Amino acid sequence: MRLTALVTALLVAGATLVAAPVQAAAPAPPTAGPALAATPPMGFNNWNAFGCEVSETLIKETADVLVSSGLRDLGYEYVNIDDCWSLRERGPDGRLVPDPDKFPGGIDGVADYVHAKGLKLGIYGDAGTRTCAGYPGSLGHEEIDARTWAGWGVDYLKYDNCNNQSDGSQEDYIRRYTAMRDALARTGRPIVYSICEWGTSQPWTWAEGVGQLWRTTGDISDDWSSVRSIIRQNAPLAPYAGPGHWNDPDMLEIGNGGMTATEYRTHMSMWAMMAAPLIIGTDLRAASAETLEILGNREIIAVDQDRLGVQGAVVSDENGLMVLDKPLAGGDRAIALYNSTDTLATVGVAAADTGLRRAGAYRLRDLWTGRTLQARSTISAAVPAHGTVVYRVSPLRGPGDVPPSVVAGAALGTVVPADGGTLTTAVTNRGAGDVRDVKVTVRTPEGWTATATGPSGSARLRTDAALETAWRIGVPATAAAGRHPIEITAAYRWGRRSAGTSSEIVAVVVTAPGDGRRHLSTVAPVSTVNATGPVEADQSNGGPLEDDGNLITIGGRVYQRGLGTTTGSEISYYLGGRCSRLVTDVGVDDEAAAGAPATFTVHADARTAATSGPMTSGQAPATLTADLTGADWLRLTAESGAAAVHADWASPVLTCGDVPDDSPVLPVSRTLFSFETGTDGFTIANPGDGGTVARSPLFHTHGTSGLKVSTPVAGNWFGRPLDEPLDLTGTSMLRFDVRAGEVGTVGEIAIQVGEDMSWCQGGRWGWIGPHSSRTVTERFDQIACPLGVTLDLADVRAVWVFLNTGGDVHIDDVRAE
Ligand code: GLA
């Protein structure tokens, strides 16, 4: 049985965001030789693609590919080993010992190999008692570890923050990270020092002079919402970066398969614009041509590695569209037009609002397509959803032979089968000089139609003039819900030449929900507007980031399901006349301070179907029942005058089609343990560690009580072997609700299967802040079993939840869905 959690004791007491006054770190001891990381470090690290599966073979083979693919010569220099390279205990001499199975030739052997290829070697350590994966940490062992690494020929250290014994103060962070800086300096070997404390103590305010780079966020993952959220956090930190001191938004996921090529190009573009370290995190031995092309774009790399070393500044950031401006040596500027929204958008900036020198026109070199265009005074492009256009811009004397920048933008409302939708196209000439004989065409999917309701051509467009056209989009009644591309092409002449430009907009076909009663939080809205960050599903609105709320709580009552908004919010659903009723609780979330009241209204098309009247904070929830018969659209609004109030739709259930009132609410959830009468047999997996488990009425999301757990050690598994094997076939995930006490916690899930009780464990864990609550979810396809064991859902023998506790933590309703 494997009882170590990957996250054992991540973050101890109070290691949360520190807003302490800025502390000056002691100056670095003087070093000789060239400055370290004069430009952002580039290289490879095994963590994102391989986790703990690191080995000498992997590192050597990666070094080989860095050379053979040409990536080394493009600047990718460091080959970095992440966590799990050592044995679980130090040697008798107190030194870290490389795992001989993984590194039979030792780390020095790998270093020699890598150095012989003209590359450098990186290693991983931790400013705590153990690394994040439970290997020996360097806290209190700084001198000997720095000497060991330097002796092996290591050139780069990533220094992590798990099990840090910290009181959470910024002074403590500075102390722990400066101790290793000084130890590295005393070795006399130049070693790039990469601080990895996830932005916890705001290292950008103190780490210049301590490390050459510092992580600014939590761990990246291979999905779009992760990249989008990291950009949002890292972009405003531009003033803190410069040569030898870089913001690190974490390593690249390009090539790992969880994002589209457009999204990976945005990842690469924005990291370059933010002068971020470019540390490849994919299996280079198996990388596709497309992956190598993205990672190997030399003009984008040149933006990242520009010797001025300035992180691109945010010029504008509105409605999910961001413009970054980065000065480059020699006077050019890199301008990025980033569209984080889910649809095509025209993103632009006036040259006068950037650092560009005044000029009659500008040359725009598109660093992804390689095309060069000229613009008079506005730098703009139609950027696909999740895409980024990066232009290298320089002043241009006369437009001469350079083709004009003509932008084919479009906007499209929701598209409904049979009813269709409305498309607006806008073709804008941003070039110096006229374009003539402009003709717009729209190509729809098979069986659809596009009919212009006004002129779709123009004899002449002057600089900055636009041709706008509205189109009726006809959609067959049989069109499937989902995303369908529509192509917009503008053909035109400039000078004597013919040219054209096209953009793709994705039509989202919506259909009404199927028959049944279902939690509204599992139905995709067509549109949402919210005052603070996104509307959250099954949690309160929290703050500006995604997934940053608590379990919805109104007047002390905690809900598993619902929608968390901040007033000024509006959520729309397409019903197609197929639904009859919405029943929901509403109220102001307990996390909100007392303030202005909020009013909740359910709209069925133009009709008010139910309204709450003003609700104040602390007040018990009200129940609304709305008749939706015949309505095409359902809209939920929460208003509170000028104030922003956390307004919750708690447990809203939508009924569609002809179904009995008592039919089960979808998705069906099966409670396994709800702690109504006792502990349900829950125990602590390692009883030797001590701790308690007791039924408690203080927190419950099901029934009237939950379970209070505590353990004196940093983390433990709570749960039980079962008397009878459990059959969970037909369900896809396990979940439980948790509320942390004085200090935060993390939650994770494991199950044991089969006669030999094989231990299968999830890899997803999330930090739960002090006094905050959430649902921990583990999908079965995210649970890993030991080699050779398959996850037999029909034969579950034990269920465990991991909690990293300091003080009491409450849990409830362990369930399968
Ligand atoms: C932390 C770091 C990651 C990785 C893992 C290794 O989560 O932030 O980048 O190094 O630890 O366990």
Side-chain angles (χ1 to χ4, degrees):
M1 182 194 302
R2 188 165 73 102
L3 290 183
T4 45
L6 197 60
V7 291
T8 309
L10 171 87
L11 294 169
V12 288
T16 45
L17 261 190
V18 189
V22 177
Q23 293 289 317
T31 42
L36 281 176
T39 61
M42 293 174 66
F44 166 88
N45 173 298
N46 66 275
W47 181 257
N48 287 353
F50 299 95
C52 274
E53 306 292 305
V54 62
S55 70
E56 173 178 312
T57 314
L58 172 65
I59 297 299
K60 287 181 170 175
E61 289 179 0
T62 300
D64 294 346
V65 182
L66 280 170
V67 176
S68 63
S69 63
L71 288 171
R72 177 197 62 187
D73 297 338
L74 289 172
Y76 292 98
E77 182 182 19
Y78 292 95
V79 194
N80 295 349
I81 299 168
D82 209 279
D83 204 350
C84 314
W85 58 268
S86 77
L87 284 180
R88 291 258 171 202
E89 301 304 332
R90 290 174 179 270
D93 55 357
R95 285 177 188 270
L96 294 167
V97 186
D99 182 333
D101 291 337
K102 294 174 181 166
F103 292 92
I107 301 296
D108 47 350
V110 192
D112 289 346
Y113 187 90
V114 161
H115 289 154
K117 300 238 152 196
L119 295 162
K120 291 181 169 155
L121 187 76
I123 200 120
Y124 165 98
D126 187 282
T129 52
R130 297 228 156 235
T131 71
C132 296
Y135 294 83
S138 300
L139 190 65
H141 304 266
E142 290 85 356
E143 292 299 323
I144 190 169
D145 290 353
R147 267 189 276 125
T148 304
W149 293 323
W152 287 339
V154 162
D155 309 293
Y156 183 114
L157 170 67
K158 169 176 170 181
Y159 202 45
D160 216 335
N161 187 37
C162 277
N163 306 301
N164 56 32
Q165 312 295 310
S166 178
D167 60 8
S169 66
Q170 198 173 53
E171 293 91 318
D172 173 75
Y173 275 71
I174 295 173
R175 203 178 312 121
R176 285 183 296 117
Y177 280 91
T178 307
M180 183 53 84
R181 185 238 4 225
D182 293 343
L184 291 173
R186 277 190 282 272
T187 68
R189 187 178 173 86
I191 296 177
V192 169
Y193 181 32
S194 154
I195 295 174
C196 176
E197 55 74 274
W198 322 306
T200 307
S201 72
Q202 302 171 323
W204 48 91
T205 63
W206 59 262
E208 177 179 351
V210 179
Q212 282 74 46
L213 58 157
W214 50 79
R215 281 273 295 277
T216 55
T217 71
D219 287 5
I220 195 168
S221 55
D222 184 23
D223 53 69
W224 171 244
S225 66
S226 169
V227 164
R228 184 181 52 194
S229 141
I230 287 179
I231 293 171
R232 184 142 288 296
Q233 296 169 69
N234 193 68
L237 302 176
Y240 300 98
H245 54 104
W246 309 104
N247 290 314
D248 174 8
D250 207 358
M251 304 173 290
L252 302 175
E253 292 283 4
I254 295 160
N256 286 338
M259 285 180 258
T260 64
T262 299
E263 290 162 348
Y264 283 141
R265 278 192 289 269
T266 284
H267 188 1
M268 185 76 186
S269 302
M270 293 300 277
W271 262 237
M273 289 299 297
M274 298 189 296
L278 298 178
I279 307 291
I280 296 169
T282 195
D283 184 357
L284 279 176
R285 303 165 309 177
S288 68
E290 184 170 71
T291 296
L292 294 175
E293 221 173 277
I294 297 173
L295 293 169
N297 183 323
R298 47 176 90 236
E299 290 180 286
I300 292 285
I301 293 172
V303 169
D304 181 76
Q305 293 291 302
D306 186 83
R307 69 182 157 76
L308 291 186
V310 177
Q311 176 171 337
V314 179
V315 181
S316 65
D317 179 12
E318 257 174 89
N319 304 324
L321 310 179
M322 198 188 269
V323 176
L324 293 189
D325 173 20
K326 185 180 198 289
L328 304 174
D332 289 1
R333 299 187 86 90
I335 306 278
L337 309 173
Y338 164 50
N339 174 10
S340 75
T341 75
D342 297 335
T343 188
L344 177 77
T346 298
V347 189
V349 62
D353 291 341
T354 71
L356 278 162
R357 250 189 304 125
R358 285 296 144 84
Y362 297 90
R363 178 195 301 273
L364 317 179
R365 179 163 169 86
D366 183 322
L367 300 190
W368 287 106
T369 65
R371 286 184 66 187
T372 297
L373 304 167
Q374 54 87 3
R376 176 71 216 274
S377 60
T378 298
I379 297 155
S380 113
V383 186
H386 305 182
T388 303
V389 168
V390 186
Y391 287 131
R392 187 179 184 110
V393 186
S394 46
L396 185 66
R397 226 173 253 145
D401 249 10
V402 186
S405 161
V406 175
V407 179
L412 177 62
T414 312
V415 175
V416 174
D419 286 0
T422 307
L423 172 77
T424 324
T425 57
V427 176
T428 311
N429 173 21
R430 294 299 184 185
D434 296 352
V435 296
R436 293 175 185 275
D437 300 336
V438 181
K439 179 85 204 133
V440 189
T441 49
V442 169
R443 204 176 70 207
T444 58
E446 227 6 75
W448 296 29
T449 55
T451 318
T453 60
S456 61
S458 167
R460 179 166 97 149
L461 283 183
R462 294 202 165 94
T463 295
D464 293 336
L467 164 65
E468 284 194 22
T469 313
W471 307 74
R472 266 312 302 156
I473 301 295
V475 180
T478 52
R483 302 168 65 77
H484 304 263
I486 293 182
E487 194 179 78
I488 297 115
T489 302
Y492 50 88
R493 287 195 308 111
W494 62 279
R496 296 231 183 84
R497 295 171 227 219
S498 302
T501 183
S502 42
S503 314
E504 186 181 280
I505 190 161
V506 175
V508 179
V509 174
V510 296
T511 51
D515 286 0
R517 299 169 67 213
R518 49 170 62 72
H519 290 290
L520 190 63
S521 59
T522 65
V523 177
V526 172
S527 67
T528 61
V529 175
N530 195 47
T532 311
V535 169
E536 299 281 6
D538 301 332
Q539 56 182 269
S540 66
N541 196 213
L545 298 176
E546 234 167 304
D547 198 22
D548 61 356
N550 291 292
L551 288 175
I552 285 175
T553 309
I554 305 171
R557 175 154 174 212
V558 187
Y559 294 83
Q560 288 172 345
R561 296 282 188 180
L563 300 164
T565 80
T566 301
T567 47
S569 59
E570 173 169 330
I571 315 169
S572 309
Y573 299 86
Y574 178 66
L575 304 182
R578 299 199 59 264
C579 305
S580 55
R581 197 150 57 120
L582 179 77
V583 182
T584 182
D585 281 3
V586 294
V588 175
D589 198 280
D590 287 1
E591 77 190 3
T599 303
F600 295 80
T601 309
V602 181
H603 310 259
D605 293 331
R607 167 169 67 84
T608 297
T611 186
S612 67
M615 307 271 308
T616 52
S617 95
Q619 193 181 329
T623 303
L624 302 182
T625 301
D627 178 4
L628 305 175
T629 312
D632 277 334
W633 291 92
L634 163 66
R635 272 185 315 121
L636 307 180
T637 59
E639 293 300 331
S640 62
V645 173
H646 288 211
D648 297 332
W649 300 87
S651 209
V653 172
L654 177 70
T655 305
C656 300
D658 195 11
V659 292
D661 282 354
D662 59 351
S663 62
V665 179
L666 307 170
V668 175
S669 165
R670 178 168 154 205
T671 295
L672 306 177
F673 307 104
S674 66
F675 317 111
E676 287 313 304
T677 54
T679 60
D680 286 356
F682 263 45
T683 55
I684 303 176
N686 290 319
D689 292 342
T692 57
V693 169
R695 182 172 78 98
S696 160
L698 285 183
F699 174 76
H700 52 87
T701 56
H702 181 280
T704 55
S705 61
L707 192 72
K708 179 169 98 175
V709 302
S710 71
T711 167
V713 297
N716 235 322
W717 291 97
F718 301 87
R720 62 174 290 194
L722 303 159
D723 311 328
E724 292 286 320
L726 192 61
D727 185 355
L728 295 180
T729 10
T731 63
S732 62
M733 63 183 86
L734 284 174
R735 316 184 85 173
F736 69 101
D737 306 316
V738 52
R739 187 174 74 195
E742 287 301 314
V743 294
T745 186
V746 296
E748 203 178 337
I749 295 174
I751 53 183
Q752 286 176 275
V753 294
E755 234 150 72
D756 58 355
M757 304 285 283
S758 298
W759 182 269
C760 301
Q761 184 176 326
R764 312 255 317 175
W765 48 271
W767 170 246
I768 300 147
H771 301 295
S772 51
S773 58
R774 60 171 50 230
T775 300
V776 175
T777 300
E778 198 82 64
R779 293 205 328 257
F780 292 126
D781 61 12
Q782 292 161 341
I783 287 182
C785 296
L787 220 62
V789 175
T790 43
L791 185 63
D792 182 1
L793 289 182
D795 195 13
V796 173
R797 304 292 179 113
V799 176
W800 300 96
V801 305
F802 179 83
L803 291 163
N804 163 257
T805 71
D808 297 339
V809 172
H810 288 84
I811 64 169
D812 195 20
D813 202 18
V814 182
R815 56 194 185 274
E817 276 178 21

